[in-house]
Amino acid sequence: MIRMLSGIETEYGLAIDGRGAEDQIEDAAALVRGFPDKRCFVGWDYFQESPRTDLRGFKKKKLSIDPVDAKFDSGRRPLASEEVRSDRILVNGARFYNDHGHPEYATPECWSLHELMLADKAGELVTVGVASAYEAQSGRRTRIYKNNLDGAGSSYGTHDSCLVPREVGFERLYQALTPLLATRWVLCGSGSVSPEDGRFLMSQRAGVFEDKASVDTLYRRPLFNTRDEPHADRSRWARLHVIAVDANLIGEATMRRVGLMRLAVRLAMADEAPEWELKDPCRAGQMVSSSVDQDINVDLKGRKTASAHQILESYLARAEEHLELSEEERWVIDSCRHLLEIRFSEFSEFARGVDWAAKLQILREFQEEEGIEWTHPMIASLNLAYHLIDDEEGLFPALVSLGRIEGEPDPSDVLSRIERPGELTRASARAAAVQRLSSDLLSASWGRVVLRSPSGPLSIELPPDIAYDERLFSVESTEEFADIVQECTR
Amino acid sequence: MIQADRTVRRQDPQPARKSGDEDGPQKPDITKPKSSNELMRRMKNVDPDQAKKYRQRSGQ
């Protein structure tokens, strides 16, 4: 079995009564700094961060920034980057910080899709828990949305990462991933009401991509992001950093989304990826996203076309033909194929596993019940309320309670992932360091921890491709921790 | 400890197991059936101006 280390970063939407986008960086920093679990560790180590380094072998001088956001900041005292980010490392090994005014939860790294889904769901609880603490302290109603778009067209990201052997290289990854990223909105989009013309779209993010490939993420975003920031030994590893992602509320949709990405990576590694050459990948993604009622054809190079379903099915078929599949990968293929087959014939069943369809269905129900036009402001507000992380007011929890969503996890399984990661990936070593050695922990990041020892600071690398040991959660000293990690690397 | 009360679905407390009760269900059924009126009630309670008021900074 191939172990593929993966993670999800989610920038949450933040709405605080009486505050606006111009206050958001300050507010999100205050919210993160008020993290209520005092066992968390403050001391993120930025040494492996290189957001301007491009997978194609160069470094961009400066990343593009959104000119609208720049206006928000004019006349304000610039804060130091670390002060703004306010990083916390949590007892489960996750990272929680302020990213451009959004509370961001980066899951502990996981091997299995199911664990990653649980880790992502745990992030929802953590983030809304921090918001509750902030609300109690500030007296201002604070809402958290797991979405990627506001009504004015500002977008913020959910990113999926996957560690890949460096020798796979940009070209193979780009060719293998791009057709998938342009079309998987059919299965993984979370739905939006277009800020431009009010149409319902499958995706929140498909409309924000303007470039085929680049290192940018804030402005003129690319469908294929080339950020080369492996958070591991650069000579051996690259990290695929996928920004063409909608945040999913449906847990199984999250698993399908990451599962499809990982199948495409494995096909790239085997040189067996489907060979679709889209004429304009960004445009293709937008066409797919806007084709709610039909399986749209997208343009290929050479005056040919292919439908979104054809392209998606080709990944499933290639994976079956060329890869030795794990049980989870088998599930990804079977469930994706099933959903594609029933999309038009059994829409209610399709909507049990696909966020955009679940949302569209309830918007249509409301429209019918209330007899309102699609252009009524309630439609856009309901579109937003689907993403509200609040068990009492959010629309998604009501759908789950009604049994209209397939396969949501047991809440106790999610809660347990707030306390500890579910697998012995390198996240478990980070978590153990935070839990057991907090008084000696000097800094931590994805790839290493630095601990105080009698002979001075001891930097301990956390290789990404090994299984760590349960005993780390009972260590008493830096030396013991270092010895166990050393044993794991043999 | 994180205050997660607001988002965790309300659950009935786990009933204490009695000796000789091993044939019973392994877990309580925590999903109370609710009528679709609950969904409609929540939808009707949404502030029609919420989307207009919801303005965010661009992120990544």
Side-chain angles (χ1 to χ4, degrees), chain A residues 62-365:
Chain A
K62 197 176 175 189
L63 297 173
S64 306
I65 56 164
D66 187 329
V68 177
D69 281 357
K71 282 185 198 163
F72 291 142
D73 299 333
S74 63
R76 291 189 170 230
R77 180 178 69 89
L79 300 170
S81 169
E82 290 181 20
E83 189 183 350
V84 171
R85 289 183 168 215
S86 309
D87 273 275
R88 268 44 183 171
I89 306 173
L90 312 190
V91 293
N92 63 2
R95 179 184 180 189
F96 187 69
Y97 66 113
N98 165 29
D99 198 358
H100 300 276
H102 299 271
E104 172 160 337
Y105 185 88
T107 66
E109 306 92 313
C110 298
W111 289 312
S112 97
L113 295 174
H114 188 253
E115 276 303 329
L116 188 56
M117 178 272 287
L118 292 174
D120 182 57
K121 291 270 180 190
E124 295 176 14
L125 298 189
V126 166
T127 307
V128 83
V130 181
S132 292
Y134 178 81
E135 182 173 300
Q137 178 263 324
S138 67
R140 293 178 184 275
R141 176 79 170 98
T142 302
R143 294 179 179 85
I144 294 292
Y145 294 93
K146 193 182 186 190
N147 66 350
N148 307 102
L149 195 62
D150 75 1
S154 290
S155 185
Y156 35 96
T158 298
H159 303 163
D160 296 335
S161 290
C162 177
L163 205 65
V164 182
R166 180 158 292 274
E167 66 263 22
V168 181
F170 163 76
E171 203 57 47
R172 274 199 286 173
L173 288 171
Y174 176 80
Q175 297 296 345
L177 265 293
T178 301
L180 179 73
L181 299 181
T183 53
R184 69 174 177 171
W185 307 118
V186 172
L187 296 168
C188 312
S190 63
S192 66
V193 174
S194 165
E196 287 165 7
D197 56 18
R199 278 179 309 148
F200 188 84
L201 307 170
M202 282 180 200
S203 168
Q204 302 235 317
R205 289 279 275 182
V208 308
F209 301 112
E210 300 177 55
D211 208 349
K212 286 189 285 190
S214 89
V215 77
D216 278 310
T217 53
L218 287 164
Y219 191 62
R220 286 197 60 79
R221 298 178 185 88
L223 190 67
F224 186 98
N225 183 241
T226 53
R227 181 186 293 181
D228 187 9
E229 198 179 52
H231 300 312
D233 179 353
R234 176 172 290 279
S235 67
R236 291 185 60 203
W237 302 103
R239 176 176 61 117
L240 182 64
H241 183 240
V242 177
I243 68 170
V245 172
D246 279 6
N248 289 112
L249 276 295
I250 298 177
E252 289 194 349
T254 301
M255 292 172 64
R256 278 186 279 274
R257 184 185 88 212
V258 180
L260 284 169
M261 170 189 77
R262 299 202 319 193
L263 286 176
V265 169
R266 288 195 63 199
L267 286 168
M269 290 165 69
D271 269 330
E272 295 292 354
E275 291 161 2
W276 302 102
E277 285 201 87
L278 301 180
K279 189 176 172 189
D280 181 343
C282 298
R283 169 100 181 110
Q286 287 149 21
M287 285 179 68
V288 170
S289 173
S290 61
S291 302
V292 169
D293 295 320
Q294 60 170 321
D295 180 20
I296 191 88
N297 280 336
V298 296
D299 291 336
L300 306 174
K301 286 183 181 167
R303 296 188 179 181
K304 294 178 192 160
T305 63
S307 80
H309 283 213
Q310 264 182 298
I311 292 173
L312 289 167
E313 171 54 35
S314 72
Y315 283 89
L316 310 181
R318 283 290 182 108
E320 280 180 318
E321 190 180 351
H322 297 289
L323 304 179
E324 191 179 327
L325 300 171
S326 69
E327 206 173 302
E328 277 194 331
E329 288 171 328
R330 184 73 259 168
W331 175 85
V332 170
I333 291 170
D334 291 346
S335 69
C336 287
R337 184 171 283 145
H338 174 66
L339 288 170
L340 291 173
E341 283 168 1
I342 64 169
R343 177 178 162 198
F344 298 109
S345 58
E346 299 171 59
F347 190 74
S348 292
E349 190 62 25
F350 181 74
R352 292 169 63 79
V354 179
D355 279 298
W356 70 261
K359 182 193 283 181
L360 179 59
Q361 203 171 39
I362 63 171
L363 293 185
R364 284 176 173 165
E365 285 170 19

